[in-house]
Structures are given as structure tokens and as C-alpha cells.
Amino acid sequence: MSTHTQLHPDPSTTIWAEVVLPLPLAHTYTYHIPEQWATQVQRGVRVEVPFGKGKYYAGLVWRVHNTKPSHPTKPILSVLDAQPIVSEPQLQLWEWIATYYAATLGEVMDVALPTYFKLSSERMIVLSPLFDDDADTPHSPQIQPIVQALRIRETLPIGELRKILGRKSIMPIVKQLLDQRMVYIKETIRERYKARTASCIRLADPYHDHPELIQEAFERCGRSERQAHALLALVQLSQKKAHVTKKELIQIAGVDYGVLRALERKGVLTSYELQVSRLFADDDADEGLPPAHAPLSTAQASALQHIERHFAERRPVLLHGVTSSGKTRLYITLMQKVLQQGGQILYLVPEVALTTQLFRRLRQYFSQKEILAYHHRLAPNERIELWQAVRAGHGIITGARSALLLPFTNLQLIIVDEAHDPSYKQTDPAPRYQARDAAVWYAHHLDIPILLGTATPSVESYFNAQRGKYGLVTLQERYGGISLPQMQVADVCAARRKKQLRSHFTPLLLEEIARVIAQNEQVILFQNRRGFATALRCQQCGWAAQCQYCDVTLTYHKQFNNLQCHYCGYQEHISQQCPACQSTELVLKGFGTEKIEDELKILFPDARIGRLDRDMARSKKQLEKVLIQFETQQLDILVGTQMVTKGLDFAHVGLIGILSADQLWRFPDFRATERAFQLMVQVAGRAGRRNKQGKVIIQTEDTTHPVLHEVLAHDYAAFFSREIRERQQFGYPPWQRLIKITVKHKTPATANEAAKLLAHELRKELGEAILGPAIPLVGRIRSWYLLDLLIKLPPKTLKLAHAKQLVRQLIDQLRQREGLTTTRWAIDVDP
């Protein structure tokens, strides 16, 4: 890496580049392009640039120009890519997301690029040219292995010295090396990605090119039957496969590596390394599973015609189909048409659980190499290989919201499944974008069709359809004529008064669980809280175990036998005595999925019970294991959080139980009733999806709430009509546009001062559109005190753009104000 810094380049021969760094910086930074890189630097490639004191980053070239800046510039040190790694449409999407959601390009870049593309410098040690190994200077025993390693590798990350020396404390040794001028410190950028390889074996020359000489190869095996057997197995495998791995040959021939080494020494075999994909289990497997092309029903065929007509009119399409109406089958038909034309498809889903099950389902229609799944649980090397596959024009990409930011080169269709789901909205960190809305913009920008599919549309999406902005297509019946599930309310208060409540279960729910299990069907129980108990309280003084860093009670997890904070991850052992009054009368209050699972094992000792929540799905393999167990009827009852509501398709579910339904709509948020309706309808839709009508029991203490009756009637129209009137009355989306600004500081007085100053300045231009500041539901998270400001504006693009620009300007000014420099600000557009 070059260490030369040219601050005053010749303006007659120099061009400049605006570079985006993967940091939350408000602007791009200008670097001059040395002559040797002039032909290689272009928009979308990564370049190595110095930034700050002794730091180096892989930045992305945003623009190349010949306008001389008014300040001295540093040079681009090297070009890391031969071709742009980010396509032009992708860069335009980045710019729109940064502008609309009041984020920086660096924040968008940080979310969009795989980790291995976002290189930064590391401290390295380099052997000094002044070092004389023959000198009489005494060295400690630890220095010699370091010197040997440096002679082999030239540079070493300081962190690797721990491995070389086998000790944790290394800084004194580093100091000794520096003091004696044996090494010096260097900052450099390292590429960490390594391709996966497989050790393969084949016939050596001349046998590989002249099969007629194979008899001579067998003669060279001598009297060794094992060598001859290995050679025969290799010949047979080579007729079926282009590449044979050593591991595969050893397994089939029943020999060991010693036999292969002996054949290599005799010149019969030769080994080589083959680069293989991390994305496919078998690189030679091109065929999908046996086709399962169920014919389209009359309703599906009609819906498909309407969808294609709206596509021809260049309008986004909202597909409002009841649960199990066959929306996925329509998606597949549309995807097949695009693949035949050689195009790419983006299939967005809200949850990793869906990508896992959906991938298996799509394999019934498409070959393995036509589909890739992208989500946050991919290993870093898998992410970069998938990125490269998308750039190469791979066909179908299914994934969660970040899949929208992949470098498509021939995208021709976007499908957003479960388009209502709040998981499409990024909350933290910035950019706080809504992937569904960004996908609609991207489709319009590329002039390609987009389909939003859901059984419970968001109020904004349905409003757009009612106004003609979106095309609306409906599917009102389930595929195969199966009726929607029978819905029934279980009154928890009435059961409690009659002393019929067993733990947290009403008699009706327990009777139905027993009936369904006896019929060899399955049960899903939905509780929107994980853990065993939601609080540990003192009976005497009312004390509750609180997180040290957040204003929330700690949740008890029996699995780990500790109290946990679900906001910051803080953990502590469960108390045996109240710290406030020393009473031992401590009780666990509330219940979550873990407690439900525990009590079901007592009530139904013969039932096979599983749980699906974040604690049980910490890895991709754990998640897949639970889903496969339930899908193959290895479990009778599945207890879960929202993960069980999101479009999962199980054939044998006869009963759904919704516990504590009233907690869903009591949340202090203007979207609470909308989300309650969506959650209950979605989880109810998991029942009775194949052969017979399912049943849903909703346990609640509030049996009179209007949203409950709309769910019971499967009446989305009534829900939308009531909800849209209330939002108009109180000025919420889609009638008004919202921008939420959260002010954070470690000191409550500073947070209060910053929020009041911002509100005062905003009111000068926006007046009564500013609400707050106010303390949010959770007023302290990770020791940061929070205050919220809310801006309500009419849905006019110019006013919204002006407000966002004003907010950014004022925050930039307040950041420079004495006493507020450590304040954090979060801007959330369309919260």
C-alpha cells in the first residue's frame, strides 16, 4: 500500500472522485486520482483511501469529476475492483433511500454491502529494515517466534501475536519490539474473503488424456488390491462426474488417504484443488424435486388475468387473498414466465423462518441453481458468493428486506409476500427504511412489475388501492374450497370468576386441544411474549426486578435460570430476597411461551410439545429443525411468538389458540389495532389449510373490543372502514405523514435540553405540526435517556422534503453546540 500523500496535485492533469465511506457521515469526501489509477477509477468501484489519523478504508466511488475542490485533497491509494461491484440502478436506489429516509449514503452502504466489502485498516507489525538478526542484542524467548513469523509473512496483525505466543497479554512484548526498533506499526487493508475449495483427485497424465492406457495404470498398482479397488472406483465415478473429491472416493472405495498418496507417488493419480460454491449442497445437482404443478383454480386463473392486466398498465398490484387462497401458486406462475425470458426475480418475505420453508417449496417447481435464499443468518463467505451470483444474473432471489439491496443486473419482477408485515421496516440502525415502499419505488424506477401479496393489507396499501394508485386483485376463497377456520372467543374473566381457569388456559381451549390431539392433528398456540414470566415482584412492597440499563422489568427465562432484559441483553441471577424490604415473598408474574410449554407438558404428558421463538431459533439450523419436526408431525403442539404467524404452511393443524389477545390492542401505538387484527387473522390462517375446516380459540379478558368482532367475522372491509375513519379524525397515516425524531443522551437533563431546543427551532417554521418532546413508552435503553418529537404533515412531497432537510440542518447545528456534542439523534420517516 502506498504511503505517499500528494496534497497539491497538478490541476491541469488531475481528476477527482467523490468517495462514500461505510460510516454515518453526512457527505461524500473528495480524493484526487493519481495518474496510474485514472483509467480504473469509475463509479461503483471500491478504492483504498486514507481517512482521519492513520486510518484507511475501502470507500465506494460515487462520482468522478474534474472540478477542483477549494481544499487540499489526499490521493486514492489503490483500486480494489476491476469492475463496479454496485450497479447503476442499485446506486440510484441507495440515493433514494438516503434522501427519503433522511439517512446518509454511508449508512445505506453499510447496510447494503456484505461485511467483506467494507474493509477498514488494521494495526499490523512489520519487521524493521534496521533489525539485525545477527546482532548481539539479547532477546527474550518470546521474540524469536515473532521474528520467524515476520520473515515468512512480512506483516502480522497484532491480534495474531496472541496465537503465536499462546498468551493473552502481548502489549508489553509489542512495546519491547518497538522500543528496540525491531518492528514498526503499519495500517493496512486486508481482504478476508477466501473461496471454498475441495480437494479432488483424477488420473495422472498420460492416463487422463489417453483412457486406452488405463490397463498400464492398473499394472502399476502391483499386488495391492486396495490400490486397484480405489483406481477402479475412480474410473467409474469419473464417467458420471466431472470432479471427484478425495473424501468421496475414500468413502465409496473403502480405502484411506494412505492408499491415494501411494497411487500419487506411483504417478497413477494426481490431486488438485477445486473452487466450489457455498450456496449449493451439491455443485453438480441441477435438478429440482419432482414437480408438483397443482392446477390453478378458477379463482386463481381469474386473479392471474387481473394481475397481468394491471402489470400492463404499469401499476403496482395489491393481491388481497385470504389465508390459504393460493397466493404462492400465483407467484410461482409469474416467476416461471420471467425465468423463461431470462430475467431475475426478487421474492421478499418478512421472516427468516419463511425463507427456509419457502425455499423447500420452490424447489418443487425450480431447480436448485435457479433459487437462492438471502438473509442475515448467512455466513459472511456465503453472503459474498450470493452477491456475486446475483451480479452474474442468477434467477430467483428470496430473502428478507436487505435482499432488496442486492446488485441485480436484469431484475424483471418483484414480489413482496406478507406485504403488511412490520418486519419490512428497519428500526435500528439507520437507514430506517420500509422495504415494501422502497421496493415499490424501485419497481417504478426500473419500469418493472411489482406484486404485494397479503391476507391483511396495511391500511396505507389498501388506501392506495382504493384511490387507484395500486391495482387491487382479491381472492376470497381458500384453494380447494376449504372453509375459513371457525372462530370462537374464550372469556378469561368469566372462567376466572367461576374458578375454572387452569393455569392460563380456559376449559374450552383445553377441551379443544385434547380433541384435536386425539384426532392425530396438530395445535399451534400463539403468545406474543417469550420467556417464562414477564416480571419478578415482591408481594410485600411491590418491588420488581428492573434492568440496570433500561426502564423495563426483567423477564425470567427458566431455560437459562436467569432474568434477562429483552432490550439490551443484560442478565442477572434470580433474587431469593427482595432488595428493598428483604422479604422472601417473591413471585413470578405474567407468562410467556416458555411457561406455556412447561405447563402443557403437565396438562398433556403424552403430547410432543415444541417451541418456536427467538430463544429456540438462535441459529438457522435450530430454526429449520423445529419447522421440520412440526411439518413432519414429530410434534403435536407448537408454542410460539410472532414467528408462527408469518405465512408458514402446515398441512395438519386443526386448532389455533391465541392467548392474551387483549394485550395486542392495548399497546400505546396508533397501529396497535391494525397489528392486532393482522396477527390474529394471520395466525388463525395456519389452521385447516388442506382437507378440513380448522378451529381458532381466542382467549381474552376484553370480549367487546371492535377489532375482535372484525376478526371473528373475517371482515377486513369493516376493519378498514373503522380504522381509516379514526386515523382521519386524529390525523395519522395515510391522511398525515409522520417523522419521528428520537433524542438520546446519557444524562436526562442534556436529552431534555437538546429535545426542547430542536422543538423550539422546528416550531419557528413548522408551527403546530410539531408534537412533543415526550418520554416514549420505554424512556431509557442501554443507559441512554430518550425523548421523542413527532412531526405531522399533510401528504405533500415538497412539504415533507422541506421538513426532512430542515431537521437534518438543525441537528447538524445542534451537534456543534457546546454541551450537546455527545447527543445522539435518530430520524425515522414513516414510523
Side-chain angles (χ1 to χ4, degrees):
M1 182 182 67
S2 171
T3 57
H4 176 62
T5 302
Q6 181 185 355
L7 294 179
H8 302 287
D10 181 0
S12 63
T13 59
T14 304
I15 54 176
W16 287 266
E18 300 299 321
V19 176
V20 180
L21 299 172
L23 301 168
L25 303 170
H27 309 288
T28 58
Y29 285 79
T30 307
Y31 293 85
H32 66 261
I33 306 172
E35 188 176 348
Q36 69 265 36
W37 305 120
T39 59
Q40 299 179 42
V41 175
Q42 56 183 310
R43 180 168 158 91
V45 302
R46 290 176 305 149
V47 291
E48 182 184 3
V49 293
F51 185 79
K53 188 176 181 180
K55 291 289 185 180
Y56 299 86
Y57 289 91
L60 192 88
V61 175
W62 191 255
R63 186 169 65 93
V64 177
H65 60 89
N66 56 11
T67 304
K68 181 183 177 181
S70 59
H71 54 81
T73 57
K74 295 179 180 180
I76 287 174
L77 302 176
S78 65
V79 180
L80 302 178
D81 306 303
Q83 298 293 330
I85 64 166
V86 184
S87 64
E88 183 61 32
Q90 192 182 10
L91 290 171
Q92 292 166 0
L93 176 62
W94 287 18
E95 188 169 22
W96 181 84
I97 288 175
T99 302
Y100 184 83
Y101 291 102
T104 67
L105 284 172
E107 289 167 333
V108 180
M109 176 184 175
D110 192 43
V111 169
L113 291 186
T115 303
Y116 286 171
F117 283 153
K118 298 176 294 186
L119 305 175
S120 61
S121 58
E122 293 182 333
R123 287 188 176 272
M124 313 282 286
I125 60 168
V126 182
L127 203 60
S128 170
L130 302 175
F131 172 66
D132 183 4
D133 206 9
D134 298 323
D136 295 329
T137 306
H139 303 315
S140 66
Q142 294 94 342
I143 288 179
Q144 194 58 35
I146 297 175
V147 172
Q148 291 175 352
L150 284 171
R151 291 208 181 280
I152 296 170
R153 293 179 52 184
E154 296 185 358
T155 62
L156 278 176
I158 288 178
E160 284 197 18
L161 298 185
R162 292 184 174 89
K163 296 179 182 178
I164 292 173
L165 301 177
R167 55 185 291 176
K168 291 183 178 180
S169 177
I170 58 166
M171 294 317 294
I173 297 171
V174 173
K175 183 177 183 300
Q176 180 184 350
L177 290 168
L178 291 170
D179 290 344
Q180 295 180 7
R181 297 188 178 184
M182 297 172 64
V183 301
Y184 63 91
I185 296 292
K186 177 183 177 182
E187 292 273 342
T188 185
I189 288 181
R190 304 175 70 213
E191 283 273 12
R192 293 178 174 270
Y193 170 71
K194 289 184 179 180
R196 173 180 285 180
T197 59
S199 184
C200 296
I201 197 157
R202 65 172 176 84
L203 290 169
D205 293 331
Y207 312 114
H208 182 260
D209 297 324
H210 301 281
E212 66 274 10
L213 300 179
I214 193 65
Q215 184 58 41
E216 179 185 329
F218 276 101
E219 290 172 0
R220 298 186 72 172
C221 294
R223 297 181 179 179
S224 173
E225 292 185 7
R226 299 179 72 202
Q227 291 180 17
H229 188 57
L231 181 56
L232 179 61
L234 177 63
V235 171
Q236 292 173 341
L237 282 171
S238 298
Q239 294 172 351
K240 301 176 183 178
K241 304 183 69 175
H243 304 280
V244 178
T245 65
K246 288 182 178 180
K247 182 179 179 181
E248 185 180 15
L249 180 58
I250 286 170
Q251 289 175 343
I252 292 176
V255 298
D256 55 31
Y257 284 100
V259 172
L260 302 189
R261 285 194 293 268
L263 287 169
E264 287 188 74
R265 286 195 297 269
K266 291 179 178 181
V268 176
L269 303 182
T270 185
S271 60
Y272 63 97
E273 294 297 312
L274 175 70
Q275 184 173 330
V276 297
S277 171
R278 291 178 170 88
L279 305 178
F280 309 111
D282 182 356
D283 211 44
D284 291 317
D286 288 323
E287 297 302 320
L289 298 174
H293 301 295
L296 295 179
S297 68
T298 303
Q300 286 176 323
S302 174
L304 183 62
Q305 290 179 352
H306 284 85
I307 290 170
E308 292 178 331
R309 189 179 73 242
H310 289 306
F311 281 175
E313 297 170 353
R314 297 293 191 267
R315 284 198 294 174
V317 179
L318 176 62
L319 175 60
H320 179 198
V322 297
T323 55
S324 195
S325 58
K327 295 185 290 296
T328 306
R329 183 67 182 86
L330 291 178
Y331 304 157
I332 288 167
T333 302
L334 292 167
M335 286 191 285
Q336 288 171 331
K337 293 181 179 181
V338 173
L339 278 185
Q340 290 170 3
Q341 299 167 3
Q344 291 178 295
I345 301 113
L346 172 60
Y347 189 169
L348 289 176
V349 292
E351 184 66 53
V352 175
L354 267 181
T355 63
T356 303
Q357 193 187 55
L358 183 63
F359 191 84
R360 294 201 307 271
R361 184 170 181 184
L362 292 179
R363 286 279 288 111
Q364 297 178 323
Y365 294 85
F366 305 101
S367 74
Q368 179 175 335
K369 290 188 177 179
E370 289 177 320
I371 321 161
L372 288 177
Y374 184 77
H375 48 77
H376 69 275
R377 295 191 179 183
L378 287 178
N381 283 334
E382 289 177 318
R383 282 188 176 222
I384 200 167
E385 289 193 9
L386 191 144
W387 180 278
Q388 293 165 346
V390 174
R391 285 180 63 205
H394 200 94
I396 302 171
I397 309 298
T398 176
R401 61 175 178 259
S402 57
L404 177 67
L405 302 172
L406 290 170
F408 295 96
T409 55
N410 189 24
L411 187 60
Q412 293 186 14
L413 174 65
I414 300 176
I415 296 170
V416 185
D417 198 13
E418 307 296 337
H420 66 279
D421 199 285
S423 298
Y424 283 121
K425 173 69 173 177
Q426 166 95 354
T427 53
D428 272 314
R432 296 170 180 84
Y433 69 107
Q434 164 57 261
R436 176 196 66 221
D437 298 343
V440 171
W441 181 90
Y442 200 31
H444 174 74
H445 180 70
L446 297 175
D447 195 23
I448 63 172
I450 180 169
L451 180 63
L452 313 177
T454 174
T456 53
S458 70
V459 170
E460 288 90 340
S461 294
Y462 201 75
F463 182 80
N464 286 334
Q466 294 288 308
R467 293 294 178 95
K469 185 176 179 180
Y470 294 173
L472 178 62
V473 178
T474 59
L475 276 172
Q476 297 297 337
E477 61 182 50
R478 284 186 155 190
Y479 185 82
I482 303 298
S483 298
L484 288 167
Q486 177 188 352
M487 313 280 281
Q488 197 169 350
V489 174
D491 190 334
V492 174
C493 291
R496 188 180 292 118
R497 283 195 304 270
K498 296 175 183 178
K499 298 184 178 179
Q500 295 176 338
L501 207 61
R502 294 188 63 185
S503 180
H504 304 286
F505 304 97
T506 58
L508 176 61
L509 181 56
L510 291 176
E511 289 169 11
E512 289 298 324
I513 291 173
R515 177 186 64 81
V516 168
I517 292 176
Q519 293 177 353
N520 199 31
E521 293 181 335
Q522 293 173 294
V523 179
I524 292 178
L525 295 181
F526 168 60
Q527 166 66 3
N528 205 29
R529 291 179 182 270
R530 61 189 174 100
F532 189 86
T534 55
L536 176 69
R537 294 188 180 277
C538 174
Q539 295 277 66
Q540 289 291 330
C541 69
W543 168 89
Q546 294 269 345
C547 176
Q548 290 187 12
Y549 310 106
C550 309
D551 287 343
V552 293
T553 57
L554 296 173
T555 300
Y556 174 62
H557 286 254
K558 188 176 181 181
Q559 177 182 354
F560 309 108
N561 193 30
N562 65 8
L563 296 165
Q564 296 182 14
C565 174
H566 289 173
Y567 283 82
C568 71
Y570 168 77
Q571 301 179 17
E572 67 178 39
H573 295 297
I574 189 166
S575 304
Q576 301 300 319
Q577 191 177 49
C578 174
C581 68
Q582 279 65 56
S583 169
T584 57
E585 296 184 32
L586 300 179
V587 293
L588 293 168
K589 295 286 188 180
F591 64 99
T593 50
E594 195 178 14
K595 188 172 185 181
I596 295 169
E597 180 190 25
D598 205 46
E599 292 176 345
L600 285 171
K601 289 177 180 177
I602 299 172
L603 295 168
F604 300 95
D606 297 327
R608 298 163 298 175
I609 303 167
R611 178 159 50 92
L612 184 61
D613 56 26
R614 197 179 301 174
D615 298 322
M616 292 299 292
R618 291 178 178 267
S619 70
K620 181 181 173 183
K621 288 185 177 180
Q622 287 176 311
L623 175 62
E624 288 181 352
K625 180 180 177 182
V626 175
L627 291 176
I628 290 171
Q629 284 178 335
F630 195 69
E631 193 169 10
T632 56
Q633 289 189 282
Q634 298 176 50
L635 297 174
D636 299 311
I637 304 174
L638 182 64
V639 182
T641 55
Q642 291 187 35
M643 296 178 79
V644 301
T645 72
K646 300 188 177 186
L648 296 172
D649 186 12
F650 301 114
H652 306 287
V653 177
L655 176 68
I656 300 291
I658 300 176
L659 308 177
S660 302
D662 42 289
Q663 291 180 359
L664 299 175
W665 59 73
R666 286 178 179 170
F667 199 77
D669 187 325
F670 76 93
R671 297 189 194 275
T673 53
E674 178 185 11
R675 289 178 180 163
F677 180 89
Q678 290 167 344
L679 280 170
M680 287 190 284
V681 170
Q682 289 289 336
V683 72
R686 305 312 107 205
R689 297 175 68 88
R690 290 293 189 274
N691 304 314
K692 57 183 290 188
Q693 183 183 29
K695 191 167 187 177
V696 180
I697 306 295
I698 303 175
Q699 286 195 171
T700 178
E701 295 182 353
D702 181 2
T703 60
T704 62
H705 198 281
V707 76
L708 180 62
H709 297 287
E710 291 153 3
V711 170
L712 293 174
H714 302 284
D715 195 344
Y716 179 84
F719 158 76
F720 176 79
S721 178
R722 177 186 55 78
E723 186 73 11
I724 202 72
R725 288 196 307 271
E726 290 183 1
R727 293 201 184 181
Q728 184 176 25
Q729 180 181 355
F730 295 104
Y732 283 106
W735 303 105
Q736 297 267 293
R737 304 297 290 274
L738 303 182
I739 302 174
K740 185 176 77 171
I741 306 156
T742 302
V743 184
K744 307 177 183 180
H745 200 274
K746 295 280 181 118
T747 306
T750 306
N752 194 44
E753 179 189 359
K756 285 185 175 180
L757 282 170
L758 180 59
H760 175 73
E761 294 299 321
L762 285 171
R763 285 193 176 99
K764 288 180 180 178
E765 290 205 35
L766 301 178
E768 295 182 358
I770 308 301
L771 302 179
I775 300 174
L777 180 64
V778 180
R780 182 174 61 111
I781 296 177
R782 296 182 178 90
S783 297
W784 290 86
Y785 291 88
L786 314 180
L787 284 168
D788 284 347
L789 288 166
L790 193 65
I791 305 176
K792 282 187 175 183
L793 295 168
K796 294 181 180 180
T797 306
L798 291 178
K799 277 202 169 187
L800 189 66
H802 171 67
K804 287 184 284 192
Q805 184 179 6
L806 179 64
V807 168
R808 293 298 300 271
Q809 289 174 350
L810 291 174
I811 288 176
D812 287 343
Q813 293 172 14
L814 290 173
R815 279 197 176 109
Q816 309 304 318
R817 192 175 180 121
E818 186 178 355
L820 301 183
T821 54
T822 54
T823 306
R824 293 183 181 179
W825 315 78
I827 306 170
D828 191 358
V829 179
D830 299 339

